[in-house]
Amino acid sequence: MNIDGVDGAALEWLRDIGRAPYLPKQHRAIWLQVYDRLGDACLSGPLTPGSRLPGEVDLAELFSVSRLTMRKALSKLQQEGQLQARKGVGIFVRRSRTSYTVDDDLRFSQSLEANAESIETRTLELTRVRADQQSAAWLAIDEGAEIIRLSRLRIVDGAPIYLAAKDFPAKQFENFEAAFAPAQSVTDVYRAHGIDHHTRGETRVNGKFANRMEAEALQVTHRTPLLQVISVNLSAAGRPIEYNRGRWVFSAVELVFGERRLTTKKTSIGFGS
């Protein structure tokens, strides 16, 4: 078997572990034994971070199991974040965690660790809608008031890792779209409306499971664990100017709250649905 894009040594190693006899299924389900073997291969090699695996059909053949059995094992590994399936490309071992420094004074790309080779930003939505109860409360405006909603996807080294939905009070940003268009920069929008500096008013970090929309955007399996960061930015006068809901692939990032850099006034960390 010769599979394009798959490292030869890794392929041979997969062939070897696929040939090993399985325990009787009454001791452990066959799909879980496949999951165990692939998981160990991701942790101990030669399946290194970023490496590509054979496709589902080829893996099923290598492990002498059905496609359904292999699909269950791959799905569990994707939910746990060890593997990532990229549509039309293949299945990959997830890269090492990316560090993100929480700092008001840094752009998103500056906050990521320096070893990221490429960072792409994709705007998914920019529209004006009416504030629901939650957005209104965070932005200290009336429910039903006009807000500007911006949804963006951040892609690091070819892998989507961060999905953000940001709400802005329309009254404070009358020319949002025009200011945002040239460089797709929220910082430029702030400056165009007389906001040269802002602070983080509150940050909440919790866990959630990816819904279908989030899973599709982040290229993970439905109900994969995500790290959700909810925050509000304040103007120099203390007025809420941005309500942000950011969802990170849980296994792909660590958040760094440095004592010298941190300007968050209040931070609460917990896990929930």
Side-chain angles (χ1 to χ4, degrees), residues 106-144:
L106 297 179
R107 290 176 180 264
F108 187 94
S109 58
Q110 294 172 318
S111 295
L112 288 177
E113 60 185 9
N115 65 5
E117 295 179 6
S118 66
I119 302 171
E120 177 188 349
T121 301
R122 189 175 301 164
T123 297
L124 305 179
E125 176 189 21
L126 177 56
T127 186
R128 291 180 179 244
V129 297
R130 297 296 170 182
D132 57 21
Q133 184 178 23
Q134 190 172 34
S135 291
W138 279 88
L139 292 173
I141 59 177
D142 293 333
E143 186 175 350

Side-chain angles (χ1 to χ4, degrees), residues 139 166-169 186 190 231-234 240-244:
L139 292 173
K166 300 171 177 285
D167 290 348
F168 306 85
V186 172
Y190 283 171
S231 62
V232 61
N233 287 344
L234 306 176
I241 56 174
E242 176 186 329
Y243 164 47
N244 179 58

Side-chain angles (χ1 to χ4, degrees), residues 73-87:
L74 292 174
S75 178
K76 184 172 176 59
L77 288 164
Q78 289 176 57
Q79 285 185 331
E80 294 176 351
Q82 294 189 66
L83 297 180
Q84 180 184 37
R86 301 184 198 168
K87 287 185 177 180

Side-chain angles (χ1 to χ4, degrees), residues 8-109:
L11 187 58
E12 286 302 315
W13 199 85
L14 286 171
R15 182 179 285 112
D16 288 342
I17 64 172
R19 287 174 179 157
Y22 294 102
L23 295 173
K25 61 183 179 181
Q26 59 265 32
H27 291 286
R28 187 164 174 79
I30 300 300
W31 76 268
L32 284 172
Q33 295 184 55
V34 174
Y35 154 82
D36 292 338
R37 297 181 189 187
L38 285 174
D40 289 343
C42 292
L43 293 174
S44 59
L47 296 180
T48 56
S51 63
R52 181 183 172 190
L53 273 68
E56 183 182 286
V57 174
D58 291 322
L59 280 171
E61 183 179 341
L62 285 169
F63 282 76
S64 301
V65 295
S66 68
R67 288 186 64 181
L68 178 59
T69 296
M70 180 56 66
R71 186 175 301 150
K72 289 176 69 175
L74 292 174
S75 178
K76 184 172 176 59
L77 288 164
Q78 289 176 57
Q79 285 185 331
E80 294 176 351
Q82 294 189 66
L83 297 180
Q84 180 184 37
R86 301 184 198 168
K87 287 185 177 180
V89 181
I91 304 170
F92 294 82
V93 179
R94 186 170 292 282
R95 295 182 180 274
S96 302
R97 288 180 183 266
T98 297
S99 293
Y100 181 82
T101 302
V102 179
D103 191 319
D104 291 343
D105 296 323
L106 297 179
R107 290 176 180 264
F108 187 94
S109 58

